[in-house]
Amino acid sequence: MTPAAPAYRRLSVEERRSQLLEAALSLFAHRVPEDVSLDDVAEAAGVSRPLVYRYFPGGKQQLYEAALRSAAEELHHCFDEPRVGPTLPRLARALDRYLSFVGRHDAGFSALLQGGSVVETSRTTAIVDGVRRAAAEHIYSHLGVPDPGPRLRMTVRMWITAVEAASLIWLDEDKQPPADELRDWLVDQFVAVLTVTAARDAQTAELVRDALTAET
């Protein structure tokens, strides 16, 4: 007897949309958005081009922005570490997830996180800036600082920028040094910039003395 063919299951609207976003992200992970066409997305998802338009009538720009939001949500979760235990190991675990994301998206990381694409708009910039702001808020929470002053805010935001830059250089250097070494170096950098700021800011000095000194 010929075995019965598996039953076809029609995807729900959300399932189909997720499938298309996953296909788009897999392409954007290795190619910048301007080099990805809707035909490429349709082929990667195993669907027709009109079906892609049905879910994303705004075409490639709408699909790119939706894919960027999906990536942004994943990045939001990177720093969403339980507030339990010492601060620096928590930060290290968050960086592990962040670098894993960077590694998976490889050459597309610049387009997904940094912008710099021909399809960049004020909306895509706002999505990326939202990721940075969310990362900063998570860090303030990990540090136990509900109301950070301007110097501490500037220090944390500068460190987040440094993490992004280091990640791009890491990809350009064929992911060397190993991710765990890069993570440890970035944690050391975080302590270093806080220590420098502490020399000029009483709030940061108290933070370094009370929250971080026992961990280093």
Side-chain angles (χ1 to χ4, degrees):
M1 294 178 61
T2 303
Y8 174 78
R9 185 174 74 86
R10 186 182 182 87
L11 297 180
S12 68
V13 171
E14 278 306 309
E15 287 174 329
R16 179 66 74 187
R17 190 173 187 278
S18 295
Q19 179 198 29
L20 295 175
L21 285 176
E22 205 171 296
L25 278 172
S26 69
L27 293 170
F28 293 144
H30 303 288
R31 292 151 60 184
V32 293
E34 52 265 38
D35 291 341
V36 176
S37 69
L38 290 182
D39 286 329
D40 293 329
V41 176
E43 182 180 356
V47 301
S48 66
R49 193 172 193 266
L51 184 63
V52 179
Y53 264 112
R54 185 188 305 172
Y55 283 84
F56 299 98
K60 179 175 171 177
Q61 181 65 36
Q62 183 185 8
L63 178 59
Y64 172 69
E65 289 179 12
L68 188 62
R69 288 191 189 93
S70 178
E73 288 175 10
E74 186 174 347
L75 281 169
H76 276 301
H77 294 312
C78 288
F79 286 90
D80 193 13
E81 176 72 21
R83 274 59 171 172
V84 178
T87 304
L88 296 183
R90 280 187 259 156
L91 183 60
R93 290 192 292 271
L95 283 170
D96 279 337
R97 289 191 292 271
Y98 179 88
L99 292 173
S100 175
F101 175 91
V102 172
R104 290 198 309 277
H105 288 85
D106 210 343
F109 175 71
S110 177
L112 285 166
L113 186 63
Q114 297 284 84
S117 165
V118 295
V119 295
E120 182 180 5
T121 66
S122 60
R123 291 189 299 274
T124 61
T125 300
I127 293 168
V128 173
D129 284 345
V131 172
R132 294 171 180 145
R133 287 194 300 271
E137 291 301 323
H138 278 303
I139 291 171
Y140 302 144
S141 178
H142 284 301
L143 293 173
V145 182
D147 187 24
R151 289 181 186 268
L152 180 56
R153 288 198 304 271
M154 184 177 292
T155 300
V156 170
R157 290 172 63 185
M158 286 173 59
W159 179 76
I160 290 170
T161 300
V163 169
E164 291 181 7
S167 300
L168 291 170
I169 296 169
W170 182 61
L171 291 177
D172 194 48
E173 294 289 339
D174 296 323
K175 300 178 184 175
Q176 292 298 320
D180 58 342
E181 292 183 21
L182 177 59
R183 173 205 65 208
D184 291 343
W185 181 72
L186 289 171
V187 172
D188 289 345
Q189 288 284 320
F190 183 65
V191 174
V193 294
L194 284 177
T195 302
V196 170
T197 301
R200 295 175 176 269
D201 180 59
Q203 182 185 46
T204 308
E206 182 179 359
L207 173 67
V208 170
R209 183 177 62 250
D210 297 342
L212 298 182
T213 300
E215 303 180 27
T216 58

